[in-house]
Amino acid sequence: MGARTKTPTSKKILTLIEAAREKADEVRWAVDISGRSSALLLALLIAHGQQVVYVPGRTVNRMTGAYRGEGKTDAKDALVIADQARMRRDFAPIETPPELVSTLQLLTGYRRDLIADRVRLINRLRDLLVGICPALERSFDYSAAKGPVLMLTEYQTPAALRRIGVKRLTTWLERRKVRGAGAIADKAVEAAQSQRTTLPGEGRAAKLVRDLAHQLLALDERIKDNDREIRETFRTDVRAEIIESLPGMGPILGAEFVAIVGDLSGYKDAGRLASHAGLAPVPRDSGRRTGNYHRPKRYNRRLRWLFYLSAQSAMMRPGPSRDYYLKKRAEGLLHTQALLSLARRRVDVLWAMLRDKRLFTSAPPVTRAA
């Protein structure tokens, strides 16, 4: 049976389950949404011993054209999902994730939302600063330094910065424990000295900049608290020490990895994991054209991102990862291609580490004779 309905209550779901079980000896359920919105439905189905598989939305979208009618309704989508689950037996089964995995999924998802909110705040802040003092907007990287943002909570206009001066602004920043207070004050006052013209709407824009600066500082504290909770939760996993021992895999990326792959029971080998991350090329052969490999289109973007980011971090320090990256560059690969090749290699390494339950070492393990 295909599930494409709005979120129902527990009573309605249980009534539907009983009605379906009375109709047939074996019932197979399929859904195209496996996130938090379908958590109640999936939990009740699994708790009552029902088989549930996940039909990707991409499959549903493509197969809809094979059915009569051009209209799109929930009923038609449910029919497509159910029919695909009936004909195909290669869809991935859905199981209730452990409490740790579910918690990490929530925390990492919330962190992505906080980071997106931070990017929007910074872009809005810079846009308003351009309308006050373009030189001041260009002087600092407000996404990387806390000091300039803290300064904007009190001083936003060229006139205010000229009035306080370098010495007094340095003292004001030092009292708030800002690193490099003197350099920040010098840059800010220098930018203010370069503009003597008051732009239209400067007063109102300054108030908005002050509010955004306060919001940005508060948001940074929320991100820190969230990161601390992710780190503490992740390190309760028995695999945390092994994952973190791999260069480039810190607690945040490690938590993202566990949140996506769970206990790795859904992957037969490292190749399946690499395929899920989009790091294993797929063939597109036709006729006499063979060996024509392309990047897959169906893969987990988040999993690919974390392996790419960890590879980028690892290759910046001396070690096997950097040696392998330089080797691929010497073979003529571009920077991105070499990083993807390194990421693919690191999938095998991480898989072997988790399989053998051993920490990462730069020297390869000694192979014992049979």
Side-chain angles (χ1 to χ4, degrees):
M1 299 187 65
R4 187 72 177 186
T5 58
K6 296 181 180 179
T7 306
T9 61
S10 300
K11 186 177 180 180
K12 291 182 179 180
I13 294 175
L14 293 175
T15 302
L16 177 62
I17 292 174
E18 289 301 321
R21 294 174 66 178
E22 292 175 358
K23 297 277 185 187
D25 296 333
E26 179 184 357
V27 182
R28 197 162 186 249
W29 300 78
V31 297
D32 66 338
I33 299 177
S34 60
R36 302 301 303 177
S37 58
S38 60
L40 176 60
L41 171 64
L42 296 176
L44 291 174
L45 286 171
I46 295 172
H48 287 76
Q50 300 299 296
Q51 298 179 354
V52 189
V53 297
Y54 172 66
V55 180
R58 186 186 185 95
T59 301
V60 178
N61 183 49
R62 288 192 170 186
M63 292 306 301
T64 299
Y67 292 78
R68 185 177 63 181
E70 297 183 3
K72 182 186 182 305
T73 63
D74 288 342
K76 182 178 180 181
D77 287 344
L79 173 63
V80 174
I81 295 170
D83 211 18
Q84 290 301 303
R86 178 182 61 85
M87 294 186 295
R88 292 177 56 176
R89 297 293 174 176
D90 59 340
F91 290 122
I94 294 179
E95 299 179 356
T96 303
E99 183 66 22
L100 174 66
V101 175
S102 181
T103 302
L104 288 177
Q105 288 174 349
L106 290 173
L107 290 175
T108 54
Y110 182 54
R111 185 180 190 276
R112 290 195 292 272
D113 292 339
L114 292 178
I115 296 299
D117 292 341
R118 188 175 189 273
V119 172
R120 284 192 290 269
L121 280 178
I122 292 173
N123 289 340
R124 183 59 178 157
L125 179 71
R126 299 184 75 98
D127 181 63
L128 288 171
L129 276 177
V130 170
I132 297 175
C133 180
L136 182 60
E137 187 272 335
R138 292 193 303 267
S139 297
F140 301 103
D141 182 3
Y142 298 96
S143 62
K146 179 180 177 180
V149 179
L150 187 61
M151 179 190 67
L152 292 177
T153 61
E154 189 68 25
Y155 306 102
Q156 308 90 19
T157 63
L161 290 170
R162 288 195 301 270
R163 192 161 49 245
I164 190 173
V166 175
K167 186 176 180 180
R168 290 170 57 194
L169 181 58
T170 301
T171 304
W172 186 87
L173 291 172
E174 287 177 344
R175 288 176 181 174
R176 287 153 181 81
K177 300 179 180 180
V178 174
R179 294 182 180 179
I184 294 175
D186 286 336
K187 283 187 177 181
V189 175
E190 182 182 356
Q193 294 289 358
S194 66
Q195 179 179 321
R196 298 282 176 171
T197 304
T198 301
L199 301 181
E202 181 181 282
R204 186 55 186 166
K207 293 180 180 179
L208 292 176
V209 167
R210 180 191 61 195
D211 293 342
L212 288 176
H214 281 293
Q215 292 179 39
L216 186 57
L217 293 175
L219 185 59
D220 285 342
E221 292 300 319
R222 290 168 62 189
I223 293 175
K224 287 183 180 179
D225 293 340
N226 180 257
D227 287 350
R228 184 180 64 253
E229 189 173 1
I230 290 176
R231 185 167 55 251
E232 293 173 354
T233 304
F234 168 66
R235 286 176 177 167
T236 61
D237 193 317
V238 295
R239 301 167 296 174
E241 186 180 3
I242 297 175
I243 296 173
E244 282 195 80
S245 70
L246 182 65
M249 286 289 285
I252 301 299
L253 292 182
E256 290 269 8
F257 176 75
V258 173
I260 295 171
V261 305
D263 59 358
L264 287 174
S265 60
Y267 305 92
K268 183 176 66 175
D269 51 30
R272 290 292 181 88
L273 180 59
S275 178
H276 189 204
L279 296 172
V282 295
R284 289 187 182 177
D285 298 341
S286 179
R288 296 181 180 178
R289 294 182 60 188
T290 59
N292 186 22
Y293 290 93
H294 289 263
R295 190 180 75 178
K297 294 183 178 180
R298 291 181 292 176
Y299 58 89
N300 189 298
R301 265 68 179 172
R302 200 69 189 174
L303 189 59
R304 181 188 178 92
W305 166 83
L306 75 88
F307 275 117
Y308 183 89
L309 195 63
S310 69
Q312 188 175 37
S313 177
M315 74 88 183
M316 297 175 73
R317 297 189 296 270
S321 294
R322 181 166 182 81
D323 294 342
Y324 184 83
Y325 168 80
L326 293 177
K327 174 186 173 183
K328 290 299 177 181
R329 289 303 305 270
E331 293 175 0
L333 295 185
L334 300 176
H335 170 71
T336 303
Q337 295 172 329
L339 273 182
L340 289 175
S341 181
L342 174 60
R344 174 63 182 90
R345 182 183 179 88
R346 288 166 58 85
V347 171
D348 293 338
V349 173
L350 183 57
W351 176 273
M353 290 166 53
L354 294 173
R355 180 196 60 199
D356 301 338
K357 297 181 180 178
R358 59 181 175 83
L359 302 179
F360 175 82
T361 56
S362 57
V366 177
T367 304
R368 294 181 179 180

